[in-house]
Amino acid sequence: MGNNSTIGEFIIESQNHFKYTSGELSRLLSSIRLAAKVVNREVNKAGLVDILGAEGSENIQGEEQQKLDVYANDKFIEALTSREVVCGIASEENDDFIRIENGDNIASKYVVLMDPLDGSSNIDVNVSVGSIFSIYRRVSETGSPVVLEDFLQPGSEQVAAGYVLYGSSTIMVYTTGHGVNGFTLDPSIGTFYLSHPNLKTPDNGNIYSINEGNYVHFPQGVKDYLKYCQEEKGERPYTSRYIGSLVSDFHRNMIKGGIYIYPTSTKAPNGKLRLLYECNPIAFLAEQSGAMASDGYQRILDIKPEELHQRVPFFVGSKNMVMKAMEFMENS
Ligand code: P6P
């Protein structure tokens, strides 16, 4: 595909990567694209909420003003449901998974897991936030109501995964297992254009992203790795960049090289990030861009999930940096 192709053209073109495709995955990705535009519009005017009506009051459409993560959740569910392309959805915002059984949805073969607005607490201070999604084929019988097992698949079974980053510009980055491509929104016409074809993470980098405020609570291996990054070797070899928004930190590290770590700590014995709709989709993108994703000891995509909202420690980014961090974890 040439540059300036739209995401719509790209999705259709890529359809021939899949044998016997019914176009269902293309329609699914297109519904995510639509939801991304709707959420983008609200995120970009979030600062005006106090002028337009704070949460709990009515907005100019007479609808009750919602918290943006609830709004984003509703819009993604609405877009996915109306296109009749998914039979089940699991979301960070919902305790249990949702069966989608209206119309042809129940006959669909895909389930979607998502964090509709990760890092939403950053919105009040105008820091970038992101939506993260992960797509699987259901494992239970087509046409029957989805079951928990459909959502508890290892990340290696993902059919597609991606994120939307609402940053200085809005970009949708996704993979269907054939590399990673980024599409930047031209808000003046509401179209995503191919801006980052075939994204590759540099094998090495000099950026580490971690909340050093938790240093005293980190495992020894993480402390040792940070000291390795900070020790003087002539000029300072590394720099620390931590936005507090996983999608933003991951996106920068994918382009520039770097490592993001959210380890276990005494405050978060299993880490903070969720395996199913944060770590697995980001890990799929990482591996498809030539990077690595681990829980400090094993490949994230090999972990067999036990529950919907389970947390895992997360080391993701440039291959040689993740391997070095894993070395320190192994030897601590
Ligand atoms: P902390 C946002 O809440 C998030 O899930 C990630 O986007 C971000 O990297 C991390 O948590 C920040 O967590 O504990 O450092 O504030």
Side-chain angles (χ1 to χ4, degrees):
M1 292 297 291
N3 260 355
N4 287 337
S5 56
T6 68
I7 192 170
E9 291 159 347
F10 190 90
I11 290 172
I12 297 302
E13 274 288 299
S14 314
Q15 194 166 290
N16 55 34
H17 283 148
F18 292 87
K19 292 195 290 296
Y20 328 117
T21 179
S22 61
E24 203 175 331
L25 181 61
S26 301
R27 288 203 312 279
L28 205 173
L29 290 166
S30 292
S31 67
I32 290 175
R33 168 186 52 167
L34 172 66
K37 291 183 197 175
V38 173
V39 171
N40 174 66
R41 183 188 59 198
E42 289 307 302
V43 166
N44 284 347
K45 69 181 185 189
L48 297 172
V49 163
D50 292 343
I51 302 169
L52 299 180
E55 178 204 344
S57 65
E58 290 205 338
N59 64 18
I60 43 177
Q61 287 88 2
E63 297 147 357
E64 191 200 333
Q65 193 68 36
Q66 292 176 309
K67 274 170 60 74
L68 267 177
D69 40 13
V70 174
Y71 177 85
N73 197 46
D74 291 352
K75 291 306 165 191
F76 274 98
I77 291 172
E78 200 178 296
L80 289 163
T81 305
S82 63
R83 292 287 180 93
E84 300 191 331
V85 289
V86 296
C87 54
I89 297 173
S91 169
E92 201 257 354
E93 294 293 324
N94 299 80
D95 291 344
D96 205 349
F97 62 86
I98 307 165
R99 288 195 171 97
I100 311 289
E101 297 173 321
N102 60 305
D104 289 345
N105 279 302
I106 193 159
S108 165
K109 55 177 175 287
Y110 294 113
V111 296
V112 174
L113 297 96
M114 65 179 181
D115 185 353
L117 206 61
D118 177 69
S120 50
S121 57
N122 288 312
I123 285 185
D124 303 340
V125 293
N126 240 40
V127 167
S128 304
V129 290
S131 302
I132 312 172
F133 61 91
S134 170
I135 302 170
Y136 291 84
R137 276 186 203 82
R138 67 180 299 174
V139 292
S140 57
E141 190 193 346
T142 304
S144 65
V146 287
V147 293
L148 184 58
E149 284 316 303
D150 290 311
F151 299 93
L152 298 184
Q153 301 181 53
S156 54
E157 293 302 311
Q158 288 175 97
V159 172
Y163 55 77
V164 183
L165 175 54
Y166 312 98
S168 45
S169 61
T170 294
I171 185 168
M172 180 164 161
V173 176
Y174 78 90
T175 181
T176 56
H178 300 275
V180 178
N181 293 282
F183 301 82
T184 299
L185 180 67
D186 176 341
S188 65
I189 54 173
T191 301
F192 282 99
Y193 285 98
L194 179 61
S195 54
H196 296 72
N198 197 24
L199 275 163
K200 290 295 176 199
T201 304
D203 289 347
N204 295 295
N206 68 353
I207 295 171
Y208 63 87
S209 309
I210 189 169
N211 184 342
E212 293 189 71
N214 299 324
Y215 180 83
V216 294
H217 304 294
F218 286 159
Q220 191 54 47
V222 172
K223 291 180 177 177
D224 295 342
Y225 177 65
L226 290 179
K227 288 305 152 217
Y228 163 82
C229 292
Q230 293 159 354
E231 66 192 8
E232 289 301 323
K233 285 182 201 146
E235 77 288 350
R236 276 178 53 72
Y238 290 84
T239 188
S240 171
R241 286 282 183 278
Y242 191 67
I243 299 172
S245 172
L246 166 63
V247 175
S248 305
D249 281 314
F250 175 76
H251 185 74
R252 181 205 52 246
N253 291 349
M254 180 161 62
I255 290 172
K256 295 188 169 220
I259 185 171
Y260 170 100
I261 303 176
Y262 206 105
T264 58
S265 71
T266 41
K267 294 190 294 182
N270 295 316
K272 175 183 182 183
L273 299 184
R274 310 288 188 170
L275 172 60
L276 291 185
Y277 39 79
E278 291 176 329
C279 301
N280 272 337
I282 296 293
F284 189 19
L285 290 161
E287 292 197 1
Q288 284 290 312
S289 74
M292 268 181 85
S294 160
D295 67 355
Y297 302 101
Q298 65 180 315
R299 183 179 176 235
I300 286 287
L301 296 184
D302 288 341
I303 297 174
K304 173 68 179 83
E306 302 299 327
E307 54 183 46
L308 219 42
H309 301 287
Q310 106 182 52
R311 301 174 193 268
V312 290
F314 199 37
F315 297 65
V316 64
S318 295
K319 186 165 46 180
N320 294 342
M321 298 180 81
V322 172
M323 287 198 290
K324 177 57 82 176
M326 290 173 73
E327 230 177 83
F328 280 104
M329 293 301 285
E330 202 56 48
N331 300 331
S332 65

